Structure formats: C-alpha cells, structure tokens
Amino acid sequence: MVDSGRALNTLRSAFVGPFRVAASVRHARVFHPKGLVARGTVEFNSSWWPGRTRIPLTVTARMSGGIGTPSTLPDVLGLALRIDLDEGTTPWDLLLASSGTSSLTRLLPLPATGWNTARYSSLMPLSSTGGPPTWVLAEPVGEHPPTTSINALADALAIAPLVFSLQLATFTNTPTPTGRVVLRDVCELADDDQPSFDPVLNCPPAIALQPEWLAAVRVGAYRGSRRGRGATNG
C-alpha cells in the first residue's frame, strides 16, 4: 500500500512543472495576473476563526481578475486576504474567488459582471479545530464598482473604504455572518511586486483545507507559478 504522504508529495510535484512553464511563458501569475493591493482591517465575530475575536486585525488584500478580461466583460474575480493573527505567528492567507451562492455552486469559480455583484467563496472547505467542512464566503457591502476594472477599484478606494461581510457555511446550512473586512488604503505596487499568496503554506495550525489531495495540488500549482515568473516576494 502506497504511503499517503509519499502520494501527496508526488501529486504536489506533478503540478509544479506545468504551472512553472505557464507562468514563464506569460511572464505573470498563471491566474489573476492583474490586481490591486489594499490594506485595512478584519474583525471576526465567531470562535470558528483563529486568533482573536471582536478585535480589528491588520489585513492586506489583493483584488484581481482571474483572466484579465476587458472591464466590460465578466471575469472570475479574486479576493485574497493576508491576515495578521497573533504577533509572532505566520500570517494567514485566505483566498476567495467569485462563485455561486448555492451549496453546489459555491464550490465553483464563476465569472461576475462587476465588483458589486461578485459573491466570493473559498471554493475548498476548511476545517477549524477538527470541525465540519466549512466554506468561507464574502459579500460586498455598500458601494463597489459595477465593472471588473482594476482602475475602478483604486478610484473607489480614493473616495470611501470597500467593505465586505464575511460568512461561514457548511454544505447543508445557510451562510451565517461572522466577520467584516474594511479596506481603506491602496498600496501602489506593480503586479510583479505584489505579494504571492499561498493558502496551504500560510495557514494556522487550527485550520485545514479539505480535501487533502486538492490542497497538495494547490501547493504545487502556486510553487510552479512563483518559480515560473521568478517571484521572491511572499
């Protein structure tokens, strides 16, 4: 019987090469090549989350288009969050993508027509302290740009913060609001200088992505994409 750890390492390694080549040819991230980085705060209102609750934590976010279509066309939109938990610990990278709102469609990356209509999902469920598989969801609150334009995000942030409601949902339960993200300041960074997020490596011990084999695939894909474009930023 094949050792499960060895099988996961083999699966992980299998995805490094193809994503490295794709990123090298594109000279950019394989997916979500163009984005905007902003800083703000996140506040959790449930013990499901790691770290402190009801205390604002620093967050760095990258909002991006999955393919980079013209702003008048739909795209799979991304909301990547790097959350500073307790001091001295590794930040938590939480990656969300536009998806559907049902139990089945929240597993799929789906295009949105604008930042104001996007409904974000972790796509893969997460388990907190060994609990049931749970999806992290995010929904825009208030005014967000009605197109997929990155420039429109910067213009919107120059006027007012961008706010998101964070929600948790199991496969059978309806989403429950359990947090809030507020983005306030744009970080003027070229795409090549923007941080690389890895939700598998930068993950608190209490949180596990499921299923394990798909997490291994994501490790290989992110590693290959970073190597292909020569990224050294974390």
Side-chain angles (χ1 to χ4, degrees):
M1 186 174 182
V2 178
D3 178 77
S4 59
R6 184 180 303 172
L8 289 173
N9 285 334
T10 300
L11 184 62
R12 185 182 303 121
S13 299
F15 281 80
V16 172
F19 276 80
R20 180 174 183 173
V21 171
S24 178
V25 169
R26 193 170 189 178
H27 302 291
R29 292 170 168 86
V30 178
F31 300 113
H32 299 274
K34 301 291 183 181
L36 175 140
V37 177
R39 289 180 65 83
T41 57
V42 59
E43 187 171 335
F44 301 136
N45 299 322
S46 166
S47 59
W48 184 93
W49 300 96
R52 299 166 290 174
T53 59
R54 303 187 185 280
I55 296 176
L57 304 172
T58 301
V59 65
T60 300
R62 183 177 187 267
M63 302 182 69
S64 58
I67 301 173
T69 60
S71 61
T72 55
L73 297 178
D75 199 352
V76 176
L77 302 181
L79 175 62
L81 303 174
R82 174 162 291 171
I83 302 166
D84 292 329
L85 299 170
D86 298 320
E87 186 175 350
T89 63
T90 301
W92 181 21
D93 286 354
L94 178 60
L95 268 60
L96 310 175
S98 59
S99 67
T101 57
S102 71
S103 296
L104 290 176
T105 58
R106 72 172 64 112
L107 282 69
L108 304 173
L110 298 175
T113 57
W115 301 103
N116 61 335
T117 59
R119 299 297 181 265
Y120 302 93
S121 168
S122 57
L123 304 181
M124 289 175 62
L126 297 88
S127 176
S128 174
T129 61
T134 301
W135 281 261
V136 177
L137 312 174
E139 182 174 337
V141 176
E143 295 292 328
H144 286 240
T147 70
T148 60
S149 166
I150 298 295
N151 290 334
L153 284 175
D155 293 340
L157 275 167
I159 298 172
L162 293 179
V163 181
F164 301 85
S165 168
L166 291 178
Q167 305 164 8
L168 297 174
T170 63
F171 190 78
T172 56
N173 293 341
T174 56
T176 302
T178 58
R180 180 180 174 93
V181 173
V182 181
L183 302 180
R184 297 183 178 87
D185 303 309
V186 174
C187 300
E188 299 290 348
L189 295 172
D191 288 302
D192 288 345
D193 297 326
Q194 293 176 2
S196 300
F197 294 77
D198 192 318
V200 184
L201 296 181
N202 300 329
C203 188
I207 298 292
L209 278 82
Q210 299 179 340
E212 193 175 8
W213 66 265
L214 189 52
V217 168
R218 294 182 73 168
V219 169
Y222 296 137
R223 184 177 297 166
S225 181
R226 287 194 297 269
R227 290 179 181 175
R229 66 179 194 277
T232 58
N233 52 345

